[in-house]
Amino acid sequence: MSGVRVREMALADCDRVSEIRVRGWQAAYKGLMPQSYLDALSTERDAARRRARFGQGGGAVVNLVAERAGEVVGWACHGPYRDGEVRATDVELYAIYVDPDRTGAGVGRALLREAAERCAAAGYERMLLWVLKENKGARGFYEHAGFGPDGAEEPFEAGGVEVPEVRYVRALTDTPATPPPARTPARTGAGTGESAV
């Protein structure tokens, strides 16, 4: 992880973050989602949405970027657990992406560690995330970092096809984590937990 610097995202990072996110989806979800859906993803549209939403949420949503040698090579986003029954002690890792050309170099670990440390310091007891059930690489990454599936599953719709997701959880404090409430069928937010590391 040497040489990786994690900092808060700036508005000027939107284009690069969108490039990482779209390329991350296209690389990580190939064969797991319809190819036509992945091919239709647009860096320009994603960046426009990202710029329009930047700074909203009153500081509850935190966007982080990882830099190596001054270049943004990864992005993570976390905030309150997205559900109709949000618990104040729960935080959700909404997304974590690394430039597909930089995977396996410690960037994802640095982003996850920084996000978990910030969330623990903010008083959250546990972190939750959603990951595609068949994304074995991402699941292994989270399991190595101390996360585990809690038994919750639900489909994510991508290009007219339902793709199953599983929920993972990790305690951020020494307090034993109690299972979160079941998520309501109409989940809000960005859809899949977007984890591609």
Side-chain angles (χ1 to χ4, degrees), residues 37-110:
Y37 180 83
L38 296 174
D39 290 344
L41 295 174
S42 162
T43 299
E44 293 77 18
R45 284 192 308 268
D46 188 84
R49 280 192 304 273
R50 198 163 302 287
R51 280 192 294 275
R53 288 186 289 197
F54 189 80
Q56 295 179 354
V61 175
V62 177
N63 286 277
L64 301 171
V65 293
E67 290 181 321
R68 177 169 271 149
E71 179 189 8
V72 173
V73 293
W75 164 69
C77 181
H78 66 266
Y81 182 67
R82 299 174 295 180
D83 187 25
E85 302 174 39
V86 174
R87 291 166 43 105
T89 57
D90 293 339
V91 66
E92 183 175 351
L93 181 66
Y94 301 141
I96 184 168
Y97 285 93
V98 173
D99 182 319
D101 298 331
R102 306 296 179 92
T103 58
V107 176
R109 289 189 304 274

Side-chain angles (χ1 to χ4, degrees), residues 4 12 20 24 39 47 49 59 63 70 83 92 96 101 109 130 136 147 159 163-164 174 176 182 188 191 195:
V4 177
I20 290 168
D39 290 344
R49 280 192 304 273
N63 286 277
D83 187 25
E92 183 175 351
I96 184 168
D101 298 331
R109 289 189 304 274
W130 289 87
K136 292 178 180 25
F147 286 83
V163 183
D174 293 333
T188 60
S195 305

